[in-house]
Amino acid sequence: MGRTLYLNENRGMTVFRDGPSIRVEEKTKAGRRIPVRLVGRVIVIGNVRLDSGAITLFTENDIPVTFMNRRSEETAVAMPYNHRLPTHYEEQKSLLDSEENIYRYKEWADAKRVLLQLNMIRRFLPDLAHKLEKSGFGEGNYQIVLKNIRRVNDEQWLVVNGIVNNLLREMIIESVCKAGLDPHLGVIHRRHNFGLVLDICYTMGGESDLQSIQFFKSYKDKKLIIREKSQWVVTNEGIRNIVHRFENKRKELRNKIENIIDELFELIRELRT
């Protein structure tokens, strides 16, 4: 799988198609030519001058493009268009065949979510994680523990956690599509756009929480997140901080996503027998 191409808001930067490549031009730097064959996914953050030819080049090559702002509240995804159903659409649809199947799926997803939540707690409160592992805990208890660990206000948290989730969703979209699954056919997020992607993102909530906490523990006196027009905004340096951490864990995250998809196929086979 190719690398992620991050296009972060920068005055004077333009991105356009150049044959089978894209060209990135900046006023203060030499232009860069990037062959599309080296790209696996594209993240566009903020107001970037990107021509339509570059977008269609990505989608023609089955490369999803995610657009977001630095407050994480506006998100759009450009996907390759294909009128044919995904390879495993019919098998995947069996997840919704009965109430029992829906219950089994939700039970499986919740178990995966709790496991990753425990891993997050174990990083900061190992003794508490050990107790919770034995006694069990619910979503409400997890949110209380999370709030005590993160120690930042909800507005700041939602902005940073939203950006991390956007990066994670882009990676999940790529894996789901390559696996021949319908990204929109979810169970927990039924009848939502990218329903299955949101379901998998839900199971990986502990991982996105961990990376968000690490961001706030690293920013201290650095201006990584600032208040701008009564709203919290992640600065360009803050975006680089988030992206650097995310990319360092890319292989680990990819393995977790692929394992979840493998388990999903196993669950589908069990429910169809």
Side-chain angles (χ1 to χ4, degrees):
M1 293 184 180
R3 297 180 179 180
T4 306
L5 174 62
Y6 291 94
L7 299 172
N8 195 12
E9 182 174 337
N10 188 357
R11 289 183 182 179
M13 183 176 77
T14 57
V15 184
F16 55 91
R17 183 170 184 167
D18 182 14
S21 306
I22 64 156
R23 189 162 183 85
V24 181
E25 296 281 358
E26 297 182 63
K27 286 183 178 179
T28 58
K29 298 180 182 178
R32 290 179 293 151
R33 188 172 177 273
I34 305 171
V36 74
R37 60 184 171 77
L38 301 179
V39 180
R41 63 215 68 82
V42 181
I43 306 286
V44 182
I45 304 170
N47 188 19
V48 176
R49 295 180 62 186
L50 177 68
D51 77 359
S52 59
I55 297 172
T56 54
L57 176 64
F58 293 132
T59 55
E60 284 168 7
N61 287 274
D62 294 329
I63 299 169
V65 185
T66 291
F67 301 85
M68 66 174 125
N69 65 13
R70 291 184 292 121
R71 295 189 298 275
S72 79
E73 59 191 14
E74 295 176 6
T75 307
V77 179
M79 290 278 293
Y81 173 73
N82 188 335
H83 67 279
R84 294 185 298 274
L85 290 174
T87 307
H88 299 290
Y89 176 80
E90 292 300 330
E91 299 104 297
Q92 187 182 349
K93 199 167 64 171
S94 67
L95 294 169
L96 298 168
D97 278 351
S98 67
E99 289 296 324
E100 181 182 354
N101 285 6
I102 292 172
Y103 175 80
R104 287 276 304 279
Y105 177 94
K106 290 181 177 178
E107 191 176 46
W108 164 77
D110 285 340
K112 295 295 294 182
R113 178 174 171 83
V114 166
L115 183 62
L116 289 174
Q117 287 175 337
L118 271 172
N119 287 343
M120 188 283 290
I121 295 173
R122 194 174 288 113
R123 290 287 296 270
F124 301 99
L125 302 169
D127 292 340
L128 177 60
H130 183 67
K131 290 178 183 177
L132 292 174
E133 193 171 13
K134 289 186 173 181
S135 62
F137 67 99
E139 187 65 27
N141 291 333
Y142 172 75
Q143 293 302 328
I144 291 171
V145 174
L146 174 62
K147 198 160 188 173
N148 287 332
I149 294 173
R150 60 182 171 91
R151 296 184 180 278
V152 293
N153 68 53
D154 290 343
E155 289 180 47
Q156 291 175 298
W157 175 260
L158 289 174
V159 169
V160 172
N161 194 244
I163 291 174
V164 175
N165 273 312
N166 285 340
L167 301 183
L168 184 60
R169 277 196 295 268
E170 174 80 355
M171 186 185 288
I172 295 169
I173 288 172
E174 183 192 13
S175 291
V176 164
C177 291
K178 287 187 183 301
L181 295 166
D182 186 341
H184 303 294
L185 190 59
V187 177
I188 298 171
H189 296 87
R190 189 175 181 179
R191 300 191 182 97
H192 284 65
N193 289 331
F194 298 101
L196 177 61
V197 175
L198 294 174
D199 284 0
I200 296 175
C201 204
Y202 165 82
T203 68
M204 296 187 69
E207 182 60 44
S208 57
D209 289 341
L210 172 61
Q211 293 206 24
S212 301
I213 291 168
Q214 289 172 331
F215 169 87
F216 285 108
K217 287 188 177 296
S218 72
Y219 88 122
K220 302 288 183 181
D221 298 325
K222 299 175 186 175
K223 292 183 178 179
L224 302 184
I225 182 169
I226 59 174
R227 200 160 183 83
E228 192 174 272
K229 295 181 180 178
S230 76
Q231 292 180 309
W232 287 101
V233 175
V234 178
T235 64
N236 283 343
E237 186 180 351
I239 293 292
R240 285 192 290 270
N241 181 290
I242 292 171
V243 166
H244 180 71
R245 181 176 300 102
F246 190 85
E247 287 298 316
N248 281 344
K249 295 197 69 177
R250 172 164 293 282
K251 186 175 180 180
E252 180 184 336
L253 290 170
R254 174 74 65 194
N255 288 338
K256 288 179 180 178
I257 292 168
E258 294 298 326
N259 286 338
I260 287 172
I261 291 174
D262 288 343
E263 287 188 24
L264 177 58
F265 274 113
E266 289 178 17
L267 179 63
I268 290 171
R269 283 192 287 270
E270 285 178 22
L271 296 178
R272 285 170 59 86
T273 56

PDB file of all heavy atoms in Angstrom, residues 30 39-41 49 59 75 93 95 98 114 116 138 152 157 173 182 187 190 193 206 214 221 231 248 251 257:
ATOM      1  N   ALA A  30      11.204  24.712  -4.040  1.00  0.00           N
ATOM      2  CA  ALA A  30      11.175  24.133  -5.385  1.00  0.00           C
ATOM      3  C   ALA A  30       9.961  23.224  -5.508  1.00  0.00           C
ATOM      4  O   ALA A  30       9.535  22.584  -4.541  1.00  0.00           O
ATOM      5  CB  ALA A  30      12.454  23.337  -5.629  1.00  0.00           C
ATOM      6  N   VAL A  39       1.230   6.836  -4.044  1.00  0.00           N
ATOM      7  CA  VAL A  39       0.278   7.363  -3.056  1.00  0.00           C
ATOM      8  C   VAL A  39      -0.810   6.330  -2.764  1.00  0.00           C
ATOM      9  O   VAL A  39      -1.352   5.714  -3.687  1.00  0.00           O
ATOM     10  CB  VAL A  39      -0.371   8.672  -3.565  1.00  0.00           C
ATOM     11  CG1 VAL A  39      -1.357   9.226  -2.545  1.00  0.00           C
ATOM     12  CG2 VAL A  39       0.713   9.710  -3.878  1.00  0.00           C
ATOM     13  N   GLY A  40      -1.114   6.148  -1.483  1.00  0.00           N
ATOM     14  CA  GLY A  40      -2.170   5.212  -1.088  1.00  0.00           C
ATOM     15  C   GLY A  40      -3.426   5.906  -0.619  1.00  0.00           C
ATOM     16  O   GLY A  40      -4.532   5.381  -0.744  1.00  0.00           O
ATOM     17  N   ARG A  41      -3.269   7.109  -0.057  1.00  0.00           N
ATOM     18  CA  ARG A  41      -4.406   7.868   0.463  1.00  0.00           C
ATOM     19  C   ARG A  41      -3.993   9.328   0.545  1.00  0.00           C
ATOM     20  O   ARG A  41      -2.805   9.632   0.617  1.00  0.00           O
ATOM     21  CB  ARG A  41      -4.838   7.337   1.831  1.00  0.00           C
ATOM     22  CG  ARG A  41      -3.828   7.458   2.914  1.00  0.00           C
ATOM     23  CD  ARG A  41      -3.864   6.295   3.884  1.00  0.00           C
ATOM     24  NE  ARG A  41      -3.425   5.066   3.264  1.00  0.00           N
ATOM     25  CZ  ARG A  41      -2.135   4.742   3.114  1.00  0.00           C
ATOM     26  NH1 ARG A  41      -1.186   5.588   3.492  1.00  0.00           N
ATOM     27  NH2 ARG A  41      -1.790   3.608   2.575  1.00  0.00           N
ATOM     28  N   ARG A  49      -5.288  24.972  -2.436  1.00  0.00           N
ATOM     29  CA  ARG A  49      -5.641  25.170  -3.847  1.00  0.00           C
ATOM     30  C   ARG A  49      -5.315  23.889  -4.615  1.00  0.00           C
ATOM     31  O   ARG A  49      -4.164  23.631  -4.966  1.00  0.00           O
ATOM     32  CB  ARG A  49      -4.889  26.363  -4.421  1.00  0.00           C
ATOM     33  CG  ARG A  49      -5.269  27.686  -3.779  1.00  0.00           C
ATOM     34  CD  ARG A  49      -4.511  28.848  -4.377  1.00  0.00           C
ATOM     35  NE  ARG A  49      -4.811  29.017  -5.806  1.00  0.00           N
ATOM     36  CZ  ARG A  49      -4.195  29.894  -6.597  1.00  0.00           C
ATOM     37  NH1 ARG A  49      -3.218  30.656  -6.111  1.00  0.00           N
ATOM     38  NH2 ARG A  49      -4.531  30.000  -7.868  1.00  0.00           N
ATOM     39  N   THR A  59      -8.915   9.547  -7.649  1.00  0.00           N
ATOM     40  CA  THR A  59     -10.065   8.636  -7.645  1.00  0.00           C
ATOM     41  C   THR A  59      -9.987   7.616  -8.779  1.00  0.00           C
ATOM     42  O   THR A  59     -10.421   6.477  -8.619  1.00  0.00           O
ATOM     43  CB  THR A  59     -11.385   9.423  -7.737  1.00  0.00           C
ATOM     44  OG1 THR A  59     -11.368  10.281  -8.886  1.00  0.00           O
ATOM     45  CG2 THR A  59     -11.586  10.270  -6.480  1.00  0.00           C
ATOM     46  N   THR A  75     -15.899  17.727   7.243  1.00  0.00           N
ATOM     47  CA  THR A  75     -15.207  16.599   6.645  1.00  0.00           C
ATOM     48  C   THR A  75     -15.935  16.157   5.384  1.00  0.00           C
ATOM     49  O   THR A  75     -17.151  16.094   5.357  1.00  0.00           O
ATOM     50  CB  THR A  75     -15.138  15.400   7.614  1.00  0.00           C
ATOM     51  OG1 THR A  75     -14.580  15.830   8.851  1.00  0.00           O
ATOM     52  CG2 THR A  75     -14.293  14.281   7.047  1.00  0.00           C
ATOM     53  N   LYS A  93     -24.133  -8.413   3.712  1.00  0.00           N
ATOM     54  CA  LYS A  93     -25.537  -8.078   3.976  1.00  0.00           C
ATOM     55  C   LYS A  93     -26.177  -9.048   4.963  1.00  0.00           C
ATOM     56  O   LYS A  93     -27.168  -8.725   5.614  1.00  0.00           O
ATOM     57  CB  LYS A  93     -26.314  -8.062   2.659  1.00  0.00           C
ATOM     58  CG  LYS A  93     -27.619  -7.310   2.717  1.00  0.00           C
ATOM     59  CD  LYS A  93     -28.184  -7.063   1.323  1.00  0.00           C
ATOM     60  CE  LYS A  93     -28.532  -8.374   0.631  1.00  0.00           C
ATOM     61  NZ  LYS A  93     -29.281  -8.140  -0.631  1.00  0.00           N
ATOM     62  N   LEU A  95     -25.193  -9.808   7.756  1.00  0.00           N
ATOM     63  CA  LEU A  95     -25.091  -9.277   9.122  1.00  0.00           C
ATOM     64  C   LEU A  95     -26.399  -8.656   9.574  1.00  0.00           C
ATOM     65  O   LEU A  95     -26.665  -8.560  10.772  1.00  0.00           O
ATOM     66  CB  LEU A  95     -23.972  -8.231   9.191  1.00  0.00           C
ATOM     67  CG  LEU A  95     -22.541  -8.721   8.960  1.00  0.00           C
ATOM     68  CD1 LEU A  95     -21.590  -7.545   8.792  1.00  0.00           C
ATOM     69  CD2 LEU A  95     -22.088  -9.617  10.116  1.00  0.00           C
ATOM     70  N   SER A  98     -31.023 -10.871  10.518  1.00  0.00           N
ATOM     71  CA  SER A  98     -31.891 -11.161  11.666  1.00  0.00           C
ATOM     72  C   SER A  98     -31.431 -10.371  12.885  1.00  0.00           C
ATOM     73  O   SER A  98     -30.307  -9.871  12.925  1.00  0.00           O
ATOM     74  CB  SER A  98     -31.853 -12.662  11.987  1.00  0.00           C
ATOM     75  OG  SER A  98     -30.564 -13.039  12.465  1.00  0.00           O
ATOM     76  N   VAL A 114     -13.826  -2.646  23.971  1.00  0.00           N
ATOM     77  CA  VAL A 114     -13.399  -2.712  25.372  1.00  0.00           C
ATOM     78  C   VAL A 114     -11.927  -3.106  25.473  1.00  0.00           C
ATOM     79  O   VAL A 114     -11.181  -2.572  26.305  1.00  0.00           O
ATOM     80  CB  VAL A 114     -14.287  -3.712  26.159  1.00  0.00           C
ATOM     81  CG1 VAL A 114     -13.661  -4.052  27.514  1.00  0.00           C
ATOM     82  CG2 VAL A 114     -15.681  -3.133  26.361  1.00  0.00           C
ATOM     83  N   LEU A 116      -9.454  -2.504  23.379  1.00  0.00           N
ATOM     84  CA  LEU A 116      -8.588  -1.373  23.057  1.00  0.00           C
ATOM     85  C   LEU A 116      -8.704  -0.252  24.091  1.00  0.00           C
ATOM     86  O   LEU A 116      -7.737   0.461  24.357  1.00  0.00           O
ATOM     87  CB  LEU A 116      -8.922  -0.841  21.661  1.00  0.00           C
ATOM     88  CG  LEU A 116      -8.505  -1.766  20.512  1.00  0.00           C
ATOM     89  CD1 LEU A 116      -8.991  -1.235  19.176  1.00  0.00           C
ATOM     90  CD2 LEU A 116      -6.997  -1.953  20.480  1.00  0.00           C
ATOM     91  N   GLY A 138     -18.314  -0.497  32.022  1.00  0.00           N
ATOM     92  CA  GLY A 138     -19.185  -0.047  30.946  1.00  0.00           C
ATOM     93  C   GLY A 138     -18.661   1.214  30.296  1.00  0.00           C
ATOM     94  O   GLY A 138     -17.659   1.789  30.719  1.00  0.00           O
ATOM     95  N   VAL A 152      -8.227  17.959  29.906  1.00  0.00           N
ATOM     96  CA  VAL A 152      -8.407  19.155  29.090  1.00  0.00           C
ATOM     97  C   VAL A 152      -9.906  19.355  28.893  1.00  0.00           C
ATOM     98  O   VAL A 152     -10.692  18.425  29.085  1.00  0.00           O
ATOM     99  CB  VAL A 152      -7.712  19.039  27.711  1.00  0.00           C
ATOM    100  CG1 VAL A 152      -6.211  19.007  27.858  1.00  0.00           C
ATOM    101  CG2 VAL A 152      -8.215  17.823  26.941  1.00  0.00           C
ATOM    102  N   TRP A 157     -10.616  18.854  23.450  1.00  0.00           N
ATOM    103  CA  TRP A 157     -10.563  17.409  23.226  1.00  0.00           C
ATOM    104  C   TRP A 157     -11.275  17.020  21.927  1.00  0.00           C
ATOM    105  O   TRP A 157     -10.738  16.250  21.118  1.00  0.00           O
ATOM    106  CB  TRP A 157     -11.187  16.665  24.398  1.00  0.00           C
ATOM    107  CG  TRP A 157     -11.263  15.186  24.180  1.00  0.00           C
ATOM    108  CD1 TRP A 157     -12.346  14.458  23.780  1.00  0.00           C
ATOM    109  CD2 TRP A 157     -10.196  14.241  24.310  1.00  0.00           C
ATOM    110  NE1 TRP A 157     -12.031  13.133  23.662  1.00  0.00           N
ATOM    111  CE2 TRP A 157     -10.720  12.976  23.991  1.00  0.00           C
ATOM    112  CE3 TRP A 157      -8.852  14.358  24.682  1.00  0.00           C
ATOM    113  CZ2 TRP A 157      -9.942  11.827  24.021  1.00  0.00           C
ATOM    114  CZ3 TRP A 157      -8.078  13.198  24.714  1.00  0.00           C
ATOM    115  CH2 TRP A 157      -8.625  11.962  24.392  1.00  0.00           C
ATOM    116  N   ILE A 173     -11.097   3.277   5.450  1.00  0.00           N
ATOM    117  CA  ILE A 173     -11.755   3.289   4.139  1.00  0.00           C
ATOM    118  C   ILE A 173     -10.917   2.533   3.111  1.00  0.00           C
ATOM    119  O   ILE A 173     -11.417   1.695   2.359  1.00  0.00           O
ATOM    120  CB  ILE A 173     -11.996   4.740   3.656  1.00  0.00           C
ATOM    121  CG1 ILE A 173     -13.107   5.403   4.479  1.00  0.00           C
ATOM    122  CG2 ILE A 173     -12.377   4.762   2.171  1.00  0.00           C
ATOM    123  CD1 ILE A 173     -13.270   6.889   4.212  1.00  0.00           C
ATOM    124  N   ASP A 182     -18.414  -3.360   1.439  1.00  0.00           N
ATOM    125  CA  ASP A 182     -19.136  -2.111   1.208  1.00  0.00           C
ATOM    126  C   ASP A 182     -18.869  -1.179   2.386  1.00  0.00           C
ATOM    127  O   ASP A 182     -19.294  -1.477   3.504  1.00  0.00           O
ATOM    128  CB  ASP A 182     -20.637  -2.375   1.076  1.00  0.00           C
ATOM    129  CG  ASP A 182     -21.423  -1.128   0.697  1.00  0.00           C
ATOM    130  OD1 ASP A 182     -20.910  -0.005   0.880  1.00  0.00           O
ATOM    131  OD2 ASP A 182     -22.564  -1.282   0.229  1.00  0.00           O
ATOM    132  N   VAL A 187     -23.636  -1.750  10.736  1.00  0.00           N
ATOM    133  CA  VAL A 187     -24.668  -2.316  11.611  1.00  0.00           C
ATOM    134  C   VAL A 187     -24.925  -1.363  12.774  1.00  0.00           C
ATOM    135  O   VAL A 187     -26.056  -0.925  12.996  1.00  0.00           O
ATOM    136  CB  VAL A 187     -24.249  -3.704  12.140  1.00  0.00           C
ATOM    137  CG1 VAL A 187     -25.290  -4.249  13.117  1.00  0.00           C
ATOM    138  CG2 VAL A 187     -24.054  -4.670  10.973  1.00  0.00           C
ATOM    139  N   ARG A 190     -25.961   1.884  11.069  1.00  0.00           N
ATOM    140  CA  ARG A 190     -26.789   1.470   9.936  1.00  0.00           C
ATOM    141  C   ARG A 190     -27.417   2.690   9.255  1.00  0.00           C
ATOM    142  O   ARG A 190     -27.843   3.631   9.916  1.00  0.00           O
ATOM    143  CB  ARG A 190     -27.882   0.519  10.425  1.00  0.00           C
ATOM    144  CG  ARG A 190     -28.669  -0.160   9.332  1.00  0.00           C
ATOM    145  CD  ARG A 190     -29.622  -1.161   9.930  1.00  0.00           C
ATOM    146  NE  ARG A 190     -30.386  -1.871   8.900  1.00  0.00           N
ATOM    147  CZ  ARG A 190     -31.276  -2.825   9.173  1.00  0.00           C
ATOM    148  NH1 ARG A 190     -31.512  -3.174  10.444  1.00  0.00           N
ATOM    149  NH2 ARG A 190     -31.936  -3.426   8.192  1.00  0.00           N
ATOM    150  N   ASN A 193     -23.762   7.138   5.930  1.00  0.00           N
ATOM    151  CA  ASN A 193     -22.666   7.096   4.966  1.00  0.00           C
ATOM    152  C   ASN A 193     -21.422   6.559   5.660  1.00  0.00           C
ATOM    153  O   ASN A 193     -21.127   6.942   6.790  1.00  0.00           O
ATOM    154  CB  ASN A 193     -22.382   8.494   4.412  1.00  0.00           C
ATOM    155  CG  ASN A 193     -23.467   8.975   3.481  1.00  0.00           C
ATOM    156  OD1 ASN A 193     -24.137   8.181   2.823  1.00  0.00           O
ATOM    157  ND2 ASN A 193     -23.650  10.279   3.415  1.00  0.00           N
ATOM    158  N   GLY A 206     -10.389   3.384  21.579  1.00  0.00           N
ATOM    159  CA  GLY A 206      -9.314   3.460  22.564  1.00  0.00           C
ATOM    160  C   GLY A 206      -8.014   3.921  21.942  1.00  0.00           C
ATOM    161  O   GLY A 206      -7.214   4.632  22.568  1.00  0.00           O
ATOM    162  N   GLN A 214      -1.828  11.677  24.056  1.00  0.00           N
ATOM    163  CA  GLN A 214      -0.393  11.904  23.839  1.00  0.00           C
ATOM    164  C   GLN A 214      -0.139  13.280  23.232  1.00  0.00           C
ATOM    165  O   GLN A 214       0.869  13.916  23.521  1.00  0.00           O
ATOM    166  CB  GLN A 214       0.170  10.792  22.945  1.00  0.00           C
ATOM    167  CG  GLN A 214       0.243   9.447  23.662  1.00  0.00           C
ATOM    168  CD  GLN A 214       0.612   8.308  22.725  1.00  0.00           C
ATOM    169  OE1 GLN A 214       0.327   8.344  21.530  1.00  0.00           O
ATOM    170  NE2 GLN A 214       1.246   7.283  23.272  1.00  0.00           N
ATOM    171  N   ASP A 221       3.815  24.100  26.570  1.00  0.00           N
ATOM    172  CA  ASP A 221       3.890  25.526  26.248  1.00  0.00           C
ATOM    173  C   ASP A 221       3.910  25.796  24.741  1.00  0.00           C
ATOM    174  O   ASP A 221       3.903  26.939  24.315  1.00  0.00           O
ATOM    175  CB  ASP A 221       5.143  26.153  26.886  1.00  0.00           C
ATOM    176  CG  ASP A 221       5.107  26.048  28.408  1.00  0.00           C
ATOM    177  OD1 ASP A 221       4.007  26.143  28.956  1.00  0.00           O
ATOM    178  OD2 ASP A 221       6.174  25.861  29.011  1.00  0.00           O
ATOM    179  N   GLN A 231     -13.282  29.811  18.882  1.00  0.00           N
ATOM    180  CA  GLN A 231     -13.213  28.372  18.660  1.00  0.00           C
ATOM    181  C   GLN A 231     -11.767  27.892  18.765  1.00  0.00           C
ATOM    182  O   GLN A 231     -10.836  28.629  18.450  1.00  0.00           O
ATOM    183  CB  GLN A 231     -13.750  28.013  17.270  1.00  0.00           C
ATOM    184  CG  GLN A 231     -15.245  28.247  17.116  1.00  0.00           C
ATOM    185  CD  GLN A 231     -15.715  27.879  15.725  1.00  0.00           C
ATOM    186  OE1 GLN A 231     -15.150  28.308  14.731  1.00  0.00           O
ATOM    187  NE2 GLN A 231     -16.764  27.072  15.647  1.00  0.00           N
ATOM    188  N   ASN A 248       3.996   7.371  12.713  1.00  0.00           N
ATOM    189  CA  ASN A 248       4.893   6.479  13.449  1.00  0.00           C
ATOM    190  C   ASN A 248       4.195   5.181  13.858  1.00  0.00           C
ATOM    191  O   ASN A 248       4.846   4.144  14.038  1.00  0.00           O
ATOM    192  CB  ASN A 248       5.450   7.176  14.694  1.00  0.00           C
ATOM    193  CG  ASN A 248       6.587   8.125  14.371  1.00  0.00           C
ATOM    194  OD1 ASN A 248       7.178   8.065  13.286  1.00  0.00           O
ATOM    195  ND2 ASN A 248       6.905   9.020  15.294  1.00  0.00           N
ATOM    196  N   LYS A 251       2.025   1.299  10.834  1.00  0.00           N
ATOM    197  CA  LYS A 251       2.095  -0.152  10.652  1.00  0.00           C
ATOM    198  C   LYS A 251       1.269  -0.874  11.714  1.00  0.00           C
ATOM    199  O   LYS A 251       0.523  -1.813  11.408  1.00  0.00           O
ATOM    200  CB  LYS A 251       3.553  -0.618  10.716  1.00  0.00           C
ATOM    201  CG  LYS A 251       3.732  -2.089  10.400  1.00  0.00           C
ATOM    202  CD  LYS A 251       5.201  -2.479  10.360  1.00  0.00           C
ATOM    203  CE  LYS A 251       5.355  -3.957  10.039  1.00  0.00           C
ATOM    204  NZ  LYS A 251       6.791  -4.363  10.003  1.00  0.00           N
ATOM    205  N   ILE A 257      -6.370  -2.844  12.075  1.00  0.00           N
ATOM    206  CA  ILE A 257      -7.515  -2.744  11.162  1.00  0.00           C
ATOM    207  C   ILE A 257      -7.674  -4.036  10.368  1.00  0.00           C
ATOM    208  O   ILE A 257      -8.790  -4.560  10.224  1.00  0.00           O
ATOM    209  CB  ILE A 257      -7.330  -1.546  10.209  1.00  0.00           C
ATOM    210  CG1 ILE A 257      -7.409  -0.232  10.982  1.00  0.00           C
ATOM    211  CG2 ILE A 257      -8.383  -1.561   9.099  1.00  0.00           C
ATOM    212  CD1 ILE A 257      -6.958   0.988  10.196  1.00  0.00           C
TER     213      ILE A 257
END
